[in-house]
Amino acid sequence: MRELFSTGWMSNRGRQNVASFLVKDLKLDWRLGAEWFESMLIDHDLSSNYGNWNYAAGIGNDPRENRKFNVVKQGLDYDPDGKFVKLWIPELAPLADKASPGKIHVPWKLRPSDLRIAGVQMGVTYPNPIIEAGEWKKHYSKVLDKQGKGIKSRGRAKQKRGNNFYSRSGKKEKSTDCVAAHLRLPRHTGDR
């Protein structure tokens, strides 16, 4: 979101992840996201933008209500060394070390000592997550600490929301409404 806010652009994968997170995890009306992206994108295309948001919401030509991106898995798969995160969230850059670069994707799961060494204070220098989706949990073990051990999940996930796309059970998960904005960069000034 910082990239979009600063430049007016975001990759298609980023757009899909944001749409899924806002609609499926935060339970926001898809039209809010579509309108925000319409106002921010320098390459805005009405059909493409609204079509993608319909797709994320599970309505339209390919209606599947349980389609959901796992943002932790997406980060580990498509930014394994944390280069993109380091670029746009520099306060987390010290977390992406060579021994376990994936830590940058799950700072809220790290040991206090690792955060202290990196100069990261959850809730102060970087916001606490406003939600921790249940399906993220199975990907925490893919993030290795310096001793080569997976980071264990600390008990049950805080909140579960929406359908778990990675589960065939189709069970609905609990949800609550909460949204927080943590953008601290100036808005781009390009013509649209």
Side-chain angles (χ1 to χ4, degrees):
M1 291 302 288
R2 290 180 182 186
E3 178 186 34
L4 175 63
F5 199 69
S6 295
T7 68
W9 190 84
M10 181 185 282
S11 71
N12 187 56
R13 179 146 312 271
R15 295 175 195 198
Q16 290 176 327
N17 275 282
V18 169
S20 177
F21 182 74
L22 292 177
V23 172
K24 300 298 183 175
D25 291 314
L26 296 182
K27 301 295 187 196
L28 293 175
D29 186 312
W30 67 270
R31 293 171 291 195
L32 295 171
E35 290 170 7
W36 174 254
F37 272 67
E38 181 178 0
S39 74
M40 297 299 296
L41 287 169
I42 58 174
D43 67 341
H44 176 260
D45 175 81
L46 186 68
S47 298
S48 178
N49 185 48
Y50 281 82
N52 284 333
W53 281 92
N54 274 231
Y55 177 83
I59 57 176
N61 290 334
D62 187 14
R64 284 188 255 167
E65 288 184 27
N66 64 346
R67 180 185 294 118
K68 182 178 179 183
F69 279 76
N70 182 324
V71 294
V72 171
K73 180 184 184 311
Q74 292 283 308
L76 294 171
D77 286 352
Y78 294 97
D79 188 27
D81 297 324
K83 290 179 184 175
F84 184 82
V85 174
K86 287 189 281 189
L87 176 65
W88 290 103
I89 311 174
E91 61 268 32
L92 296 183
L95 295 176
D97 59 31
K98 290 182 181 181
S100 53
K103 292 191 301 188
I104 200 167
H105 296 291
V106 291
W108 63 92
K109 291 310 247 178
L110 300 182
R111 296 182 184 122
S113 59
D114 289 340
L115 292 171
R116 194 171 33 259
I117 290 168
V120 176
Q121 292 179 301
M122 294 304 298
V124 178
T125 61
Y126 186 75
N128 287 309
I130 56 176
I131 177 178
E132 187 177 356
E135 66 272 8
W136 299 354
K137 194 175 184 180
K138 67 179 166 181
H139 297 284
Y140 294 155
S141 62
K142 295 177 184 175
V143 180
L144 301 176
D145 65 16
K146 290 183 180 178
Q147 289 77 39
K149 299 175 186 172
I151 296 172
K152 301 287 185 196
S153 179
R154 296 182 203 148
R156 218 173 145 217
K158 291 179 185 176
Q159 295 178 9
K160 292 184 177 183
R161 298 171 177 252
N163 289 334
N164 183 345
F165 180 65
Y166 299 100
S167 168
R168 296 196 182 261
S169 69
K171 291 181 181 177
K172 290 270 186 182
E173 297 176 350
K174 296 178 185 176
S175 68
T176 58
D177 292 323
C178 60
V179 179
H182 299 289
L183 298 173
R184 296 186 180 131
L185 295 174
R187 184 174 176 178
H188 70 90
T189 57
D191 292 331
R192 293 183 210 197

